[in-house]
Amino acid sequence: MEDYDKPVPQADEALIKVILTGICNTDLEITQGYKGFQGVLGHEFVGVVEQAPDPGLIGKRVVGDINIGCNNCINCKNDFHHHCENRHVLGILGKDGAFAEYITLPVKNLYVVPDNVTDAEAVFAEPLAAALEITEKFHIKPTHNFAVLGDGKLGQLVARVLSLTGCNLTVIGKHEDKLRLLKGIAKTIKLTGANYKGFFDIVAECTGNSQGLSFAQDIVKPSGTIILKSTYQGNLTMNPSGWVVNEVTLMGSRCGPMDAALRILERKLVNVESLVSHVFTLEEFEKAFQTRNSMKVLFKLNTARTCGDME
């Protein structure tokens, strides 16, 4: 659409000109009916502030926490706005997202991008933060046998984060080319050759499909933990008896610490630019959304000084 109204920031919001924005599996699921969202998609972005109540932000490159709390409910008052009862979520729930020239977000949701972090790195801040949420919620020991199910975008980021913990890390996936990207980061196994029943202390389910949880249940140890990262449209039909008998813990994990993600990018502890497989304009949205079995697909909207050679 070329005649969509430019967003008008509220008193506590900044107007942000989008530079780069990425397609997430959640965006693909929303097109299939997940969350019933109506509006502009896109929640992974880096942009430049054009208007803000704080003049010091104008001209700054920023990324943003996508969860917008109401500031009134019990969760918001306990600094738990990610689980606000009335929250809006950029490009997912009640708030137009970043597949557009401009977005608005509350100033308190914004994080200034360090100078040595490129746009192509900064656009990964939100999904990298989601990967970091695993380490925020769960104490991972260097002695743990940890499996990541899925070699796609999320699985790649989760593996890169977990490799920093020193755990005995294995990634199980379907695609030789994607598994090769993890050389030197984790042990990799093709799904067809995986025979690890009851072996892993912790399993992170990052496949993005409903079969992943069932497979995770097969390979986790008794009294082990399954960390569920996938979001997808539809319902699961599973027998939970195995979780009960084996005393398995199932833990959901969603958004994470944006400030920590930027520190990791600033210190070059995780390589994310190698995960970019395609860059499109918004006018090429059909081609972008039809790109399958790829790594990160980006939309390039505007050029900033750190955009590198992403032409």
Side-chain angles (χ1 to χ4, degrees):
M1 295 179 66
E2 295 183 356
D3 58 351
Y4 204 78
D5 289 341
K6 184 177 179 179
V8 177
Q10 301 298 308
D12 64 338
E13 289 186 325
L15 178 69
I16 302 156
K17 190 172 186 178
V18 178
I19 300 169
L20 286 175
T21 180
I23 297 178
C24 171
N25 276 1
T26 300
D27 298 314
L28 301 177
E29 293 299 320
I30 289 173
T31 66
Q32 303 300 313
Y34 176 68
K35 289 292 186 183
F37 177 63
Q38 301 276 321
V40 180
L41 289 172
H43 57 275
E44 302 174 1
F45 77 93
V46 56
V48 175
V49 176
E50 287 201 352
Q51 298 177 32
D54 176 4
L57 277 175
I58 295 174
K60 298 289 188 181
R61 286 186 308 143
V62 294
V63 294
D65 183 337
I66 65 175
N67 297 278
I68 305 164
C70 70
N71 300 319
N72 294 314
C73 69
I74 188 66
N75 285 335
C76 284
K77 289 179 179 178
N78 287 321
D79 198 24
F80 209 40
H81 70 278
H82 280 197
H83 294 282
C84 168
E85 299 167 1
N86 310 299
R87 73 182 178 275
H88 291 168
V89 184
L90 185 73
I92 297 174
L93 183 66
K95 178 76 170 178
D96 278 347
F99 295 166
E101 291 179 302
Y102 288 92
I103 59 170
T104 60
L105 270 179
V107 167
K108 68 178 183 180
N109 284 52
L110 301 182
Y111 295 82
V112 176
V113 178
D115 287 341
N116 74 329
V117 176
T118 68
D119 295 329
E121 291 173 323
V123 76
F124 281 89
E126 194 279 332
L128 181 60
L132 282 166
E133 182 69 358
I134 293 175
T135 60
E136 180 82 0
K137 288 283 185 68
F138 196 93
H139 178 207
I140 299 166
K141 301 177 183 178
T143 53
H144 278 145
N145 287 316
F146 200 124
V148 175
L149 293 185
D151 52 20
K153 299 176 285 291
L154 180 57
Q156 293 276 341
L157 289 174
V158 168
R160 282 160 169 74
V161 165
L162 293 176
S163 71
L164 302 177
T165 70
C167 68
N168 185 20
L169 181 62
T170 301
V171 178
I172 302 173
K174 294 181 178 180
H175 310 96
E176 291 279 8
D177 56 337
K178 295 179 181 179
L179 291 173
R180 278 196 295 271
L181 293 172
L182 293 163
K183 184 178 180 180
I185 296 172
K187 178 181 179 181
T188 59
I189 299 174
K190 283 289 292 292
L191 179 63
T192 52
N195 184 19
Y196 284 84
K197 187 173 180 64
F199 178 78
F200 292 101
D201 300 295
I202 317 167
V203 180
E205 199 289 288
C206 305
T207 63
N209 67 69
S210 57
Q211 290 77 42
L213 182 55
S214 178
F215 188 74
Q217 185 177 350
D218 288 339
I219 66 174
V220 73
K221 281 182 178 179
S223 295
T225 299
I226 297 172
I227 300 173
L228 186 60
K229 294 296 293 185
S230 294
T231 54
Y232 39 78
Q233 170 63 11
N235 298 314
L236 285 175
T237 302
M238 292 189 68
N239 185 346
S241 298
W243 301 338
V244 176
V245 172
N246 292 318
E247 299 183 314
V248 171
T249 298
L250 180 63
M251 185 179 81
S253 174
R254 188 166 54 98
C255 299
M258 295 290 291
D259 51 351
L262 286 175
R263 285 195 297 273
I264 281 181
L265 293 172
E266 183 180 22
R267 297 169 188 172
K268 309 301 179 186
L269 296 176
V270 169
N271 182 334
V272 293
E273 286 186 307
S274 62
L275 299 180
V276 177
S277 58
H278 299 84
V279 182
F280 296 102
T281 65
L282 279 183
E283 289 79 7
E284 298 172 299
F285 74 93
E286 288 180 301
K287 187 176 180 181
F289 269 81
Q290 289 166 4
T291 302
R292 292 290 183 260
N293 292 325
S294 63
M295 297 309 293
K296 180 60 72 177
V297 176
L298 302 178
F299 289 118
K300 181 179 178 182
L301 288 97
N302 301 287
T303 302
R305 69 184 189 283
T306 56
C307 210
D309 57 356
M310 295 187 61
E311 298 295 337

